[in-house]
Every structure is written in structure tokens, then in C-alpha cells.
Amino acid sequence: MARKVQRPKPPAADELTVLQPNRELPLGDRTVTVREIGFFESLRLHAQIAELVADLIEHTDDGNIDLSRLHRVCAQHPEATVELLAQASDQSVEFVHSLSAAHGDLLLLTFWAVNADFFLQRVIAALELRRANRATTGPVSSPA
């Protein structure tokens, strides 16, 4: 006797974003795919990532990063930001430098949409470590 096989339900939209976070966007005469920074890339780009993460930590106490904070941090580290944008979009640094303000902003915001979890995991871990260190060391005492 044959049994009817039920097809699995397609993943919800937000599950698809997690499984396939890449985003395509038109930039000038080309279509660029912005993708997640991979593990090996994160090792190779550790210095650039660390610059942004350290500054992001200083601009939040709860892990929330709004766009003005993101822009402020990226403006403090333009070369690291450009290198990360180039890597995540498989474009040259020169191409990223050549973008108009509107296209550069679009690339940055798309990069953040795709890679925010990557950065926020590191920011939140650092904030939790900072809180744990404060809790174990206790308040600073003043000399008597």
C-alpha cells in the first residue's frame, strides 16, 4: 500500500535570511552580492574587525547599535570599513573608494544587514565579559 509523503514546509522568510543571508544590489553598472564574512575571512581580517568591534563596544552598553552609531564607528575607521566592504562584496578596495555617497551608504547598510549578527555576537560577548569582570572584582575601594 502506498503512503502519501508530505512535503516539508518551506522555511519562513526569517529562516531563509539566516540560511541565505546574501543580498544583491545594483551599484552603478554592476550588480554586487554582499555576503557574510566567513570564518577564514574573519581570521585574515581580524585587525579590521577588531577595530570596529572595539569602537562599537564603546558606543553601546546593551548591544544595540543604531545607524548613527554605526556611521560614527565606520567614520572613525574608514580604511578598515572599506576593506571589509570590499571583501564581503568581492570587489576591489578601489571600486569601493569610487562609489558615490549614495551607493557607498547602500553598500554599508547592506553589509550591516548581512553581517550585523557576526559583529553583535562579538560586541555582546565583550560586554558580558566586562560585566562579569566588574562583578568578580567588586567595587573599587578608596584608600583609608
Side-chain angles (χ1 to χ4, degrees):
M1 178 176 217
R3 199 174 89 197
K4 187 173 182 177
V5 176
Q6 298 248 338
R7 287 186 172 189
K9 291 181 182 177
D14 56 344
E15 290 174 354
L16 280 175
T17 301
V18 170
L19 294 173
Q20 189 71 338
N22 297 352
R23 306 257 175 101
E24 287 190 355
L25 64 143
L27 293 178
D29 61 347
R30 46 181 109 171
T31 298
V32 173
T33 300
V34 180
R35 58 182 176 69
E36 280 184 307
I37 297 290
F39 173 71
F40 179 75
E41 292 170 313
S42 72
L43 296 177
R44 195 174 62 72
L45 297 166
H46 176 76
Q48 294 86 343
I49 292 166
E51 283 182 48
L52 294 179
V53 168
D55 230 8
L56 289 169
I57 292 165
E58 296 308 314
H59 285 86
T60 184
D61 55 2
D62 61 0
N64 288 321
I65 306 294
D66 61 25
L67 291 180
S68 67
R69 289 178 185 170
L70 177 64
H71 278 116
R72 197 172 319 129
V73 168
C74 291
Q76 292 295 316
H77 307 282
E79 294 308 314
T81 299
V82 167
E83 286 183 53
L84 290 167
L85 293 175
Q87 181 68 36
S89 63
D90 294 320
Q91 301 299 313
S92 68
V93 167
E94 294 76 24
F95 173 77
V96 177
H97 277 287
S98 75
L99 293 174
S100 68
H103 283 158
D105 227 18
L106 179 60
L107 180 58
L108 176 63
L109 295 177
T110 305
F111 171 82
W112 186 249
V114 171
N115 287 286
D117 286 345
F118 173 88
F119 284 91
L120 292 177
Q121 286 174 353
R122 286 152 180 79
V123 168
I124 291 169
L127 291 172
E128 288 174 357
L129 184 61
R130 183 184 286 175
R131 284 187 202 107
N133 285 340
R134 286 184 190 145
T136 58
T137 58
V140 176
S141 62
S142 58

